[in-house]
Amino acid sequence: PEFIGDLARMLHLPQSPRETIRLWRMRQPRATRRQVEVPLDRRWHSPRTIDPEVWVTGDASRPRGAIFHDSFAERLWRPLLAEHFAEMVFAPAVIPDPQVIERFQPEIVVHQFVERRINYDQPVAPP
């Protein structure tokens, strides 16, 4: 599929060129989305066009995890990463939200963001 990213906007191009992207798909996925509310603080929720989600495999021998991420994780990481956890919380947020960590008690926490954000939006410790 084609994707319109934010790079063209950052370069002040008059029209946003479309980028062809390759999405990975599991042949036999085990992880399924669970309908559960994720208590993500609106101050940290970004991008807001992506909702937080919880995915489960049902394999209790695997760890519980949480990833606080930008838009890259939605397309690139979610389908593959969820397979390796008993429960994985995907929270689009600029910082690790303590409410999410307290509610889900993850054993592994990942804070993923695109490198260019370091220049203008340095990661901060949760309040």
Side-chain angles (χ1 to χ4, degrees), residues 26 28-38 52-67 77-90 103-104 106-107:
M26 299 294 295
Q28 297 176 341
R30 293 178 306 148
T32 57
R33 186 172 176 197
R34 196 173 102 199
Q35 296 296 327
V36 61
E37 184 180 346
V38 178
E53 296 181 355
V54 176
W55 286 73
V56 296
T57 61
D59 186 345
S61 69
R62 297 183 181 270
R64 291 181 316 280
I67 179 169
W77 289 41
R78 185 174 57 211
L80 304 175
L81 198 57
E83 294 292 313
H84 299 280
F85 289 86
E87 177 181 70
M88 186 66 177
V89 179
F90 292 88
R103 162 68 172 81
F104 292 97
E107 297 162 276

Side-chain angles (χ1 to χ4, degrees), residues 4-82:
I4 299 174
D6 59 357
L7 193 54
R9 178 184 47 79
M10 290 173 21
L11 294 172
H12 302 286
L13 296 177
Q15 293 182 347
S16 296
R18 296 181 182 273
E19 303 171 46
T20 301
I21 61 172
R22 189 166 285 173
L23 299 176
W24 295 88
R25 201 176 346 207
M26 299 294 295
R27 288 186 182 138
Q28 297 176 341
R30 293 178 306 148
T32 57
R33 186 172 176 197
R34 196 173 102 199
Q35 296 296 327
V36 61
E37 184 180 346
V38 178
L40 185 60
D41 190 317
R42 288 191 51 80
R43 293 175 293 174
W44 319 126
H45 189 173
S46 176
R48 291 193 179 166
T49 56
I50 302 172
D51 292 326
E53 296 181 355
V54 176
W55 286 73
V56 296
T57 61
D59 186 345
S61 69
R62 297 183 181 270
R64 291 181 316 280
I67 179 169
F68 298 91
H69 62 85
D70 61 17
S71 63
F72 281 93
E74 177 192 32
R75 292 178 182 88
L76 302 175
W77 289 41
R78 185 174 57 211
L80 304 175
L81 198 57

